[in-house]
Amino acid sequence: MNKYNDLDDIEVIMKLSLPTLRALHDCVQKSYRQWPGGDPQEQANLEILSSGLYVVLMDSLLENDLV
């Protein structure tokens, strides 16, 4: 039996360059816009992920005086 019964308890940390962060955000946005339908939670998860990546992107730009 997996010691993690709830996958939300597993934390993952990533270190990305700014161009990679932009590309990841763009990919998630494209997936959200072109979502073919199915489980509505999948679309909601894409929206949450996209919003979170946008926050990180804008914060990174502001912290580095790029906006």
Side-chain angles (χ1 to χ4, degrees):
M1 182 173 179
N2 188 342
K3 68 179 183 175
Y4 292 104
N5 294 327
D6 187 359
L7 295 179
D8 290 336
D9 292 338
I10 300 172
E11 184 175 311
V12 177
I13 299 170
M14 297 187 310
K15 186 174 181 177
L16 307 171
S17 67
L18 192 54
T20 302
L21 177 58
R22 283 183 196 267
L24 181 57
H25 179 258
D26 289 345
C27 287
V28 173
Q29 275 290 99
K30 182 177 180 182
S31 293
Y32 178 77
R33 285 192 307 272
Q34 296 178 353
W35 185 67
D39 181 5
Q41 187 59 49
E42 181 182 314
Q43 188 180 33
N45 291 344
L46 286 171
E47 185 175 20
I48 291 166
L49 180 56
S50 177
S51 296
L53 289 170
Y54 184 78
V55 168
V56 173
L57 178 59
M58 290 299 113
D59 188 51
S60 297
L61 292 172
L62 286 170
E63 281 186 18
N64 291 286
D65 295 323
L66 297 172
V67 289

